[in-house]
Amino acid sequence: MIIILQKSVKSIQLVLNEVLGYLNVPSVTNSAFTQARRHLKHTAFIELNQKAIVEVMYQDNEYNRYKNIFRVLGIDGSKIILPNEKNIRDEFGSINFTNGKDDQIIGSKPQATASAMYDVLNGIAIDSILGHSRAYEVDLAINHLLFTRKNDLILADRNYASYRFLSELINRKVDFVIRCSSNSFNVAREMFEKKSFKSRVVILKPSDPKQIRELELPKEIKVRFVKVILDDGSIEVLVTSLIDNKLYLTEEFKEIYNMRWGVETFYSILKTRLNIENFTGKTAESVKQDFYATIYITGLESILTSDINEELKNKECKNEQKVNKAVSFNAIKNNVFDIFYKEKDTKIMLEKLESLFRSNPTTVRKGRKVERKKSSPRIIANFHKRVKKICF
């Protein structure tokens, strides 16, 4: 399990030689390691994340909240490219790709749909799923709701603005702020087109009453639509359960929805800093092991760096600083056996890590705006070859 948590970009055999040499244990072959990991279930890493990260984060009730009330949870999905093996295709499916000119299909590649419910203010994944390539993101999101509780606020992008998802949330008494597209609801379309109505409370009814009835969901729901004007003058329309316009002013929703960016950053860390698509095995089970082990590592990093981030935040300097994640993930992975395996003094180990976390902090540039650009295969290939920095 610790070797999987360490997950290096090196070959498994090189990692085994280094690790077992460090432990003064005779080395084993890549084949022996592959056979041994077949006896390990990926659910071990899911349980590890729940017990050692999620429960630890909230056990003393001292964690970051919005307005000292809400635990803010961003839900989002992302596509993950998988190793091209038959058993992986059978488990997760594949997607076709075209030549980019006349949309002629020239091949396919195995892919999974990842979904996560991420605490954007505390930096941990409360629940994550690695699903089929053609899984419906709303179905995956509904599974996350098993892990919600009172005073949770769900943030989600426009892919989730459906009557079914809103009614599931209301049925479970979970608050939400979700971005709408212009064709999601009639009210949203009107607010995009008209200059009036910055906030409206309406009763929604389903377009498919039979499905909603079969799912035993409410036949109608009361929600609020809020129009947000972005800095560039463009319009966004949000749908929310926060109906009271005295408690939740229309002007607040821009700030609330901007917090959803935390889950986007989470996926960026998974794919760049932690190189999640560099899988260490060629089976569906090894893919799941790597995925859920990486999720656990992100939560561990957030817990271990939380005190230092608070220290840097309160430090008197021109710009706010925070722990450099390239440094923190490198420190954790390089010391993974000292953290989990060797019987060393915990205090000394934590002091060593905290010293590394304090080194080379990164600056938080508030108000910085970066234009989002569409990516092409050429741009992505160039990023992975020449730009992306591997931290382990």
Side-chain angles (χ1 to χ4, degrees):
M1 285 183 71
I2 297 174
I3 291 173
I4 293 170
L5 287 171
Q6 191 182 40
K7 189 172 176 281
S8 171
V9 295
K10 300 176 183 177
S11 72
I12 288 293
Q13 189 60 64
L14 291 179
V15 172
L16 289 169
N17 292 343
E18 291 175 0
V19 166
L20 297 177
Y22 171 73
L23 298 175
N24 295 318
V25 176
S27 186
V28 298
T29 64
N30 181 8
S31 175
F33 174 77
T34 300
Q35 293 177 50
R37 75 185 296 179
R38 291 176 185 169
H39 301 287
L40 175 64
K41 291 186 177 181
H42 69 275
T43 51
F45 295 104
I46 296 175
E47 185 174 352
L48 188 61
N49 188 68
Q50 284 298 319
K51 297 294 184 182
I53 302 299
V54 178
E55 291 185 11
V56 168
M57 174 63 74
Y58 304 120
Q59 66 184 358
D60 58 4
N61 212 34
E62 293 182 5
Y63 56 90
N64 296 319
R65 301 173 177 86
Y66 178 65
K67 288 181 173 289
N68 291 320
I69 299 172
F70 292 112
R71 187 173 67 159
V72 184
L73 309 179
I75 291 181
D76 203 4
S78 184
K79 299 298 184 182
I80 307 291
I81 304 299
L82 305 178
N84 192 8
E85 300 291 332
K86 184 180 183 304
N87 76 93
I88 292 176
R89 283 177 176 268
D90 292 342
E91 176 86 13
F92 294 102
S94 59
I95 61 165
N96 296 326
F97 57 90
T98 66
N99 57 11
K101 296 179 181 178
D102 53 10
D103 291 332
Q104 181 181 354
I105 296 174
I106 58 175
S108 66
K109 52 188 175 184
Q111 191 178 76
T113 302
S115 183
M117 184 168 71
Y118 185 76
D119 183 335
V120 299
L121 298 182
N122 296 288
I124 66 168
I126 293 174
D127 185 48
S128 55
I129 300 170
L130 192 66
H132 194 277
S133 57
R134 290 180 174 80
Y136 181 33
E137 287 184 334
V138 170
D139 289 335
L140 299 180
I142 289 170
N143 289 329
H144 294 318
L145 301 184
L146 294 171
F147 296 89
T148 56
R149 62 192 194 188
K150 185 180 179 182
N151 292 331
D152 279 348
L153 178 62
I154 298 292
L155 306 181
D157 206 355
R158 54 190 173 189
N159 293 341
Y160 299 88
S162 68
Y163 183 93
R164 184 194 169 191
F165 191 48
L166 302 188
S167 60
E168 288 276 6
L169 289 163
I170 288 174
N171 208 33
R172 298 166 191 258
K173 296 180 172 57
V174 177
D175 287 306
F176 56 85
V177 176
I178 298 176
R179 179 185 174 197
C180 297
S181 64
S182 58
N183 60 359
S184 56
F185 300 102
N186 290 335
V187 180
R189 184 174 65 251
E190 291 174 11
M191 294 181 77
F192 274 111
E193 294 173 352
K194 298 180 180 179
K195 293 183 179 180
S196 57
F197 302 121
K198 288 188 177 180
S199 176
R200 290 181 63 181
V201 176
V202 302
I203 302 295
L204 290 181
K205 294 183 179 181
S207 58
D208 185 358
K210 181 181 177 182
Q211 181 199 35
I212 298 303
R213 189 166 55 250
E214 290 173 349
L215 293 170
E216 298 182 350
L217 294 173
K219 297 177 183 178
E220 59 181 35
I221 55 176
K222 187 177 182 180
V223 296
R224 177 184 178 189
F225 286 86
V226 178
K227 182 189 292 187
V228 173
I229 309 299
L230 303 183
D231 294 339
D232 61 1
S234 59
I235 295 172
E236 293 291 358
V237 176
L238 309 175
V239 59
T240 179
S241 59
L242 305 178
I243 293 175
D244 192 327
N245 58 12
K246 293 182 179 179
L247 283 176
Y248 309 104
L249 302 177
T250 301
E251 294 74 22
E252 293 181 50
F253 283 90
K254 181 179 177 182
E255 176 194 357
I256 294 172
Y257 186 73
N258 280 344
M259 288 189 284
R260 196 197 69 84
W261 189 253
V263 71
E264 298 270 7
T265 303
F266 169 65
Y267 278 116
S268 176
I269 290 168
L270 289 178
K271 291 188 174 184
T272 56
R273 293 297 185 198
L274 297 176
N275 206 20
I276 196 168
E277 292 177 337
N278 172 48
F279 292 98
T280 62
K282 296 182 178 181
T283 66
E285 184 61 26
S286 64
V287 162
K288 293 175 186 177
Q289 290 172 5
D290 283 345
F291 175 79
Y292 290 108
T294 305
I295 298 294
Y296 167 73
I297 286 292
T298 63
L300 178 65
E301 188 270 348
S302 292
I303 286 178
L304 290 178
T305 60
S306 60
D307 288 345
I308 306 303
N309 273 324
E310 194 64 28
E311 176 186 306
L312 291 171
K313 183 179 179 180
N314 295 326
K315 187 178 179 181
E316 290 186 9
C317 56
K318 183 178 180 181
N319 294 305
E320 184 182 326
Q321 294 182 322
K322 64 180 180 180
V323 173
N324 187 323
K325 288 192 176 292
V327 172
S328 56
F329 282 121
N330 178 270
I332 290 169
K333 284 182 173 287
N334 282 343
N335 292 278
V336 68
F337 274 87
D338 289 336
I339 296 170
F340 293 106
Y341 185 78
K342 289 201 166 183
E343 294 183 0
K344 288 193 172 184
D345 189 307
T346 303
K347 184 178 179 181
I348 294 174
M349 170 51 55
L350 288 176
E351 287 175 353
K352 176 184 176 182
L353 289 173
E354 288 175 352
S355 176
L356 292 169
F357 297 157
R358 288 188 183 92
S359 66
N360 192 32
T362 186
T363 301
V364 180
R365 294 180 175 87
K366 293 185 177 180
R368 184 183 183 189
K369 297 177 179 61
V370 180
E371 183 182 353
R372 297 189 71 177
K373 299 178 180 179
K374 292 184 178 180
S375 297
S376 66
R378 179 181 60 80
I379 292 173
I380 293 172
N382 180 69
F383 171 78
H384 283 277
K385 287 180 179 179
R386 300 180 179 88
V387 181
K388 185 174 73 169
K389 302 295 190 296
I390 303 298
C391 62
F392 60 96

